[in-house]
Amino acid sequence: MNQTVEYIKELTAIASPTGFTREITNYLVETLEKLGYQPIRTAKGGVNVTIKGKNDDQQRYVTAHVDTLGAIVRAVKADGRLKMDRIGGYPWNMIEGENCTVHVASTGKTISGTILIHQTSCHVYKDAGTAERTQDNMEVRLDEKVTNEKETRALGIEVGDFISFDPRTVVTETGFIKSRHLDDKVSAAILLNLLKVYKEEGIELPVTTHFAFSVFEEVGHGANSSIPSQVVEYLAVDMGAMGDDQQTDEYTVSICVKDASGPYHYEFRQHLVALAEEQDIPFKLDIYPFYGSDASAAMSAGAEVKHALLGAGIESSHSYERTHIDSVVATERMVDAYLKSDLVE
């Protein structure tokens, strides 16, 4: 798993809030080309690579997304700080106190800062701890000598500049991986490592498979527009959500039964369960009540495919996330087992 973990570190280090993903897709293209593949960029901005299998008449589509949560400059405030609009779904308190980077479109430069509530100092504001965190009182404190709107705008900052969050990636000696954006860069790393292994070992898959790295999943319309007509199975490799009433943990692969879009394809799900049981891959079945995936977006767009969803168990999703290497291993084994299996009956 060393290479997969290295891919995780490299991917999380690249800022890629939805809508600002050119740098990370450049990384994907360069990495895939070095492995000997010929990736293509979709008009929508994703990166796809295809491995031709024994069965080319019916095909598979497997996705992981590399876009992440983030923010965008909503306004420059009178005191020189920035008002934000969210990219992706998260409560404002999930990013309070986070270091961030403003990507200045007009200059190509970056400016660091910190995301705070306006009423930060408990020595001044008696409601510092109780004030509701909203768009109106959350702001970016820039690491620049600015005290008013004119000085901030002189830096080139404008409405529409993207804001990325410091990932703070840490791999502990006990096997835990802590970082923002493990959703879904763990899965992207898994797909990259499998592609590397398949190329190096000359593995022929039983079914022609399209590997799609999507860039609009966090806003709900991910990889739903570049699906070849021969595709009959669609597997989204994303994350398993943890919390009360959830079976998912940080040590197994989570197979989704149902999310906010409805149930996933029953026979496809049972196919994955059978593979896990046959190969002794630790897994959990689960429901993610407030969740959608690339696969569910494809179904909403009218894709005529069987669809399924699985992923590593991610603790504190859409906040400062954590998983364990055991879950990454189980997920990679599960995806590998599926790709080497026959089509779902």
Side-chain angles (χ1 to χ4, degrees):
M1 292 302 295
N2 289 341
Q3 184 58 63
T4 302
V5 173
E6 286 304 309
Y7 282 141
I8 293 172
K9 291 178 182 177
E10 291 171 10
L11 288 164
T12 56
I14 302 172
S16 57
T18 307
F20 190 74
T21 54
R22 187 69 181 192
E23 183 179 355
I24 201 162
T25 56
N26 285 345
Y27 166 88
L28 290 171
V29 168
E30 292 168 7
T31 301
L32 290 165
E33 287 178 342
K34 287 178 182 177
L35 293 176
Y37 292 101
Q38 295 179 313
I40 62 169
R41 294 181 187 270
T42 69
K44 196 171 180 178
V47 175
N48 291 2
V49 65
T50 299
I51 295 181
K52 189 171 182 179
K54 295 177 183 178
N55 181 352
D56 194 47
D57 296 327
Q58 294 180 303
Q59 301 176 1
R60 286 172 165 155
Y61 203 73
V62 180
T63 68
H65 69 89
V66 292
D67 63 307
T68 70
L69 305 176
I72 200 166
V73 176
R74 172 70 179 87
V76 181
K77 302 176 71 173
D79 62 2
R81 297 192 177 191
L82 305 179
K83 190 172 183 178
M84 298 169 288
D85 200 27
R86 288 174 293 190
I87 296 174
Y90 57 89
W92 286 106
N93 62 290
M94 294 298 184
I95 59 170
E96 184 176 2
E98 190 62 85
N99 289 327
C100 65
T101 301
V102 181
H103 302 267
V104 184
S106 64
T107 66
K109 296 181 179 180
T110 59
I111 297 173
S112 64
T114 305
I115 299 169
L116 300 165
I117 188 171
H118 179 76
Q119 306 95 307
T120 299
S121 175
C122 61
H123 296 99
V124 178
Y125 302 100
K126 66 179 181 180
D127 64 340
T130 59
E132 183 181 1
R133 274 58 178 162
T134 68
Q135 185 182 58
D136 290 333
N137 60 17
M138 296 297 290
E139 60 191 20
V140 176
R141 179 186 67 193
L142 296 169
D143 297 329
E144 296 284 344
K145 290 185 176 181
V146 292
T147 58
N148 56 57
E149 179 183 353
K150 182 178 179 180
E151 290 173 345
T152 294
R153 288 189 178 277
L155 297 172
I157 292 176
E158 183 53 89
V159 170
D161 286 343
F162 283 88
I163 301 168
S164 62
F165 309 146
D166 185 349
R168 292 186 286 135
T169 305
V170 176
V171 181
T172 73
E173 292 182 358
T174 52
F176 287 99
I177 303 170
K178 303 188 293 184
S179 180
R180 284 196 176 272
H181 315 317
L182 296 181
D183 170 20
D184 185 34
K185 292 181 176 180
V186 166
S187 299
I190 286 171
L191 294 192
L192 282 175
N193 194 50
L194 288 174
L195 285 164
K196 181 176 186 293
V197 171
Y198 295 164
K199 179 64 71 172
E200 290 177 348
E201 298 183 4
I203 293 173
E204 183 180 19
L205 298 178
V207 179
T208 292
T209 302
H210 307 277
F211 294 78
F213 297 90
S214 70
V215 293
F216 281 99
E217 193 276 347
E218 292 293 359
V219 294
H221 61 87
N224 59 15
S225 51
S226 303
I227 307 172
S229 59
Q230 302 97 319
V231 169
V232 295
E233 294 178 6
Y234 189 127
L235 175 67
V237 188
D238 206 315
M239 52 148 275
M242 295 175 57
D244 293 345
D245 297 326
Q246 300 297 110
Q247 294 195 114
T248 299
D249 58 32
E250 295 173 271
Y251 314 108
T252 61
V253 58
S254 180
I255 300 174
C256 185
V257 173
K258 175 186 178 295
D259 66 11
S261 69
Y264 282 74
H265 192 276
Y266 178 75
E267 284 77 19
F268 197 166
R269 180 243 290 187
Q270 290 304 102
H271 179 75
L272 296 173
V273 169
L275 288 171
E277 291 174 341
E278 289 168 8
Q279 301 196 25
D280 197 26
I281 300 170
F283 73 96
K284 302 286 187 181
L285 294 176
D286 220 338
I287 292 171
Y288 315 149
F290 310 110
Y291 188 112
S293 70
D294 279 327
S296 56
M299 300 305 288
S300 296
E304 186 63 42
V305 295
K306 300 178 177 72
H307 72 310
L309 165 64
L310 60 83
I314 303 295
E315 211 280 325
S316 299
S317 58
H318 282 199
S319 184
Y320 186 51
E321 298 166 341
R322 191 183 79 166
T323 192
H324 192 275
I325 192 66
D326 289 353
S327 188
V328 180
V329 170
T331 304
E332 187 161 316
R333 288 183 61 203
M334 185 76 258
V335 177
D336 182 49
Y338 165 66
L339 293 176
K340 292 176 179 175
S341 71
D342 293 327
L343 289 166
V344 177
E345 294 182 1

